[in-house]
Amino acid sequence: MKTIGYAAHQANTPLEPFHFERRDLRDVDVAIEILYCGVCHSDLHTVNNDWGGTSYPILPGHEIVGCVIEVGKGVSKYKIGDTVAVGCMVDSCLNCDQCHKGEEQFCREGMVGTYSGKDRVTGEATKGGYAKHIVVREEFVLNVPDSLDTAACAPILCAGITTYSPLRTWNVGPGSRVAVIGLGGLGHMAIKIAAAMGAHVTAISRSADKATKALEYGAKDLLISKDQKAMDAHANNFDLIINTIPVKHDFTPYLPLLDIDGTQVLVGQVGEMAESNSVPLLLGRRRVAGSLIGGIAQTQEILDFCALHNILPEVEMIKMDEINQAFERLKEGDLSHRYVIDMSSLTVD
């Protein structure tokens, strides 16, 4: 299948139109015309090789919503015309203990990323959703509930599942005391989801600038992290902290906010962290943990959960040729929404 997307050919260079071919359908594959694709901060990191290992050309995008245009002869779950979604992975071994548990993101043989991964059959580099079409194994295609706005729901496939998974893992529900650090793409979804679960949610930010938005998302309080008196007053107040800060930082100042046996989960920063201090860990039997997206079943669960509770990300729609300006805004930081690319703006010549 000949198609077109936007790709970078080396680090720190603009993305530009890129003609390429998707693989022929295998028996278990679904071909999708991409309608919308969310823009994740990890797209920018990968394009610029911030984490190392990027192979070029790189075509990112793992928050995909589209329409089925063809199916392999062994496909049973989807048919032409279905509205579907694809998240951060497109394959795994499906045979190991983690895959059998529905934790394909932790596949013992390594999950295959939607982009910058290696196809399990050919070894070719996978290319993501900044494109007109994609071909994906049936088991990694998701159903989009009819009540979800297809133009706005794409970020659920990454920002949604990334924050939903730890909330589920740590059994958040009515009566849970949850804090969310950061009010960006991940943070605003964490607040909305935790609030819908019945938790008492406190937003933590460096300033009061986003207080109104935090309350609109479902937070009950806003804690200013630079106000040490306020931080001290919130000692032992939370069962769970979702830390969405996407850059290197010290997580130690947030540990005293946790109650005994509380957990701070890191979902934003990938890579080195600033030097920390074990004292608040020891004094409260507190924990610091990490979390990586979620399995396919759980990703379908969050799509259904968002449909049930009328939760949508805050989005700004852009055209495909505006992606480089969007990346510049991501570099500047402090965004409280996600960009979504309208793929009708990308034509196949």
Side-chain angles (χ1 to χ4, degrees):
M1 179 191 298
K2 292 183 178 180
T3 191
I4 184 173
Y6 263 57
H9 292 269
Q10 59 185 28
N12 299 299
T13 59
L15 278 73
E16 57 187 29
F18 178 67
H19 292 267
F20 67 105
E21 290 189 6
R22 293 290 187 186
R23 69 167 187 262
D24 292 335
L25 263 70
R26 300 165 191 150
D27 289 350
V28 295
D29 282 343
V30 176
I32 300 165
E33 179 182 350
I34 299 174
L35 303 176
Y36 303 98
C37 185
V39 178
C40 178
H41 210 285
S42 61
D43 299 342
L44 175 61
H45 283 306
T46 305
V47 163
N48 289 335
N49 199 28
D50 292 338
W51 299 328
T54 299
S55 297
Y56 296 92
I58 177 72
L59 194 156
H62 58 205
E63 300 176 347
I64 300 165
V65 173
C67 178
V68 176
I69 57 173
E70 189 178 355
V71 297
K73 62 182 182 182
V75 171
S76 60
K77 290 175 60 179
Y78 302 101
K79 64 183 185 303
I80 294 172
D82 285 348
T83 302
V84 295
V86 178
C88 300
M89 52 186 169
V90 293
D91 207 350
S92 72
C93 79
L94 295 182
N95 291 317
C96 70
D97 61 328
Q98 295 304 305
C99 288
H100 285 165
K101 287 167 58 179
E103 300 272 23
E104 297 92 347
Q105 75 275 26
F106 299 129
C107 175
R108 300 293 186 180
E109 295 185 14
M111 71 165 182
V112 179
T114 305
Y115 66 88
S116 198
K118 287 187 178 181
D119 185 275
R120 288 180 57 81
V121 175
T122 66
E124 295 175 316
T126 56
K127 297 178 177 64
Y130 291 10
K132 198 68 176 177
H133 306 94
I134 193 167
V135 175
V136 180
R137 182 173 177 166
E138 177 185 23
E139 292 91 340
F140 291 80
V141 178
L142 299 144
N143 175 61
V144 177
D146 291 339
S147 62
L148 277 181
D149 181 351
T150 55
C153 69
I156 296 172
L157 281 304
C158 179
I161 184 59
T162 296
T163 52
Y164 180 75
S165 187
L167 292 170
R168 289 279 282 107
T169 298
W170 276 273
N171 300 311
V172 168
S176 297
R177 301 168 298 168
V178 175
V180 177
I181 307 172
L183 297 176
L186 289 172
H188 88 278
M189 285 300 290
I191 292 172
K192 289 186 175 188
I193 295 167
M197 290 175 166
H200 184 288
V201 184
T202 298
I204 301 178
S205 185
R206 292 171 294 180
S207 72
D209 295 346
K210 297 179 181 177
T212 300
K213 286 187 176 294
L215 297 178
E216 288 175 355
Y217 299 153
K220 299 296 185 184
D221 309 288
L222 178 72
L223 172 59
I224 307 303
S225 59
K226 290 184 177 180
D227 184 343
Q228 192 56 53
K229 287 186 177 179
M231 292 285 281
D232 292 343
H234 282 76
N236 307 305
N237 266 22
F238 305 112
D239 306 304
L240 183 71
I241 296 175
I242 304 294
N243 183 336
T244 73
I245 299 172
V247 295
K248 182 178 179 179
H249 65 282
D250 181 10
F251 54 71
T252 308
Y254 306 104
L255 292 174
L257 302 176
L258 291 167
D259 206 347
I260 296 169
D261 288 324
T263 303
Q264 179 178 176
V265 185
L266 309 179
V267 296
Q269 165 64 352
V270 178
E272 293 184 358
M273 297 291 288
E275 185 173 339
S276 186
N277 190 313
S278 66
V279 172
L281 288 173
L282 301 175
L283 293 181
R285 202 164 58 203
R286 302 176 177 106
R287 307 176 188 88
V288 176
S291 184
L292 175 70
I293 56 171
I296 293 300
Q298 198 172 68
T299 306
Q300 185 63 62
E301 192 176 293
I302 182 56
L303 285 166
D304 296 339
F305 182 90
C306 287
L308 178 64
H309 294 277
N310 195 29
I311 296 172
L312 284 172
E314 304 296 315
V315 304
E316 178 180 344
M317 202 66 61
I318 63 172
K319 297 178 180 178
M320 186 70 257
D321 62 8
E322 295 174 324
I323 186 60
N324 293 307
Q325 295 96 308
F327 271 14
E328 288 301 318
R329 286 287 309 281
L330 283 181
K331 288 181 185 178
E332 294 169 6
D334 208 31
L335 283 180
S336 58
H337 62 270
R338 297 284 267 206
Y339 288 114
V340 173
I341 306 165
D342 181 353
M343 283 302 167
S344 67
S345 64
L346 179 63
T347 57
V348 179
D349 298 325

